[in-house]
Amino acid sequence: MLIAPSLLSCDFSIFRDEIIRVDEAGADIMHLDVMDGHFVPNLTFGAPVIKKLRGATDKPFDVHLMISEPHRYINDFADAGADIISFHTECDSDIAETLDLIEKRGVKPALAIKPGTPVDAVLPYLDRLYMVLVMTVEPGFGGQSFMPDMMEKVVFLRKEIADRGLKTLIEVDGGIAKNTIATAAKAGVDICVAGTAVFGAPDAKAAIDELKVLCG
Ligand code: DX5
Ligand code: ZN
């Protein structure tokens, strides 16, 4: 199991130091939540901030776009150094065209689905996805409760990916903590995003180590 701390829960006044701190604590991937105040009722940061932070670590930057028109900003996030770009099937952009833009820049493409969206929404694109992001909370805020029902989507996707002979990774995001990560691991998740569970812990390394141990 790979752990991707969500920087949404970090201390933004020392954003760069927080990346270095979780890097040294054993984070596998840096999860960066971009919100536009339109697709979700919250605002965070954009490509210029990510670009300034890129030098803080060599770990992959997993950029989760919770924005209405992702196609308009793909080049900016690619220029900023994103390794993975996830956008939502529920957005207003054309999905295939947005995937084209991501692929053209050599960035790994991923599609995300909100809790209310059936897994079918990603199936037409599965063959070209590096990763599927299954939201286990309503996107917008950290610190919400994990929705175990979403594991049905993970189990279905795991089988579909195997049946098609693909290597697509499955990521879950929202409410991952000591008491929920084993459920995600059992369902077949590859990457767990964890905000509160890592940044809210007194010792980030101990928190990440414990999350990994709990996956068995
Ligand atoms: C929510 C974000 C998540 C969030 C997770 O919209 O996509 O990445 O930061 O935070 P926790 O782990 O606290 O649920
Ligand atoms: Zn996220």
Side-chain angles (χ1 to χ4, degrees), residues 140-183:
F141 300 93
Q144 305 180 74
S145 298
F146 180 76
M147 298 177 171
D149 295 1
M150 297 303 125
M151 294 308 99
E152 283 174 31
K153 296 183 190 178
V154 173
V155 170
F156 179 87
L157 276 171
R158 188 84 280 160
K159 184 173 181 310
E160 188 68 20
I161 289 165
D163 288 351
R164 295 195 198 183
L166 302 172
K167 288 184 179 150
T168 320
L169 299 175
I170 303 174
E171 179 176 68
V172 290
D173 183 6
I176 290 293
K178 282 189 252 183
N179 60 335
T180 56
I181 197 163
T183 305

Side-chain angles (χ1 to χ4, degrees), residues 6 31 33 64 66 133 135 173 193:
S6 163
H31 184 84
D33 290 301
H64 177 193
M66 286 160 275
L133 167 47
M135 291 303 300
D173 183 6
V193 175

Side-chain angles (χ1 to χ4, degrees), residues 100 109 201:
D100 287 343

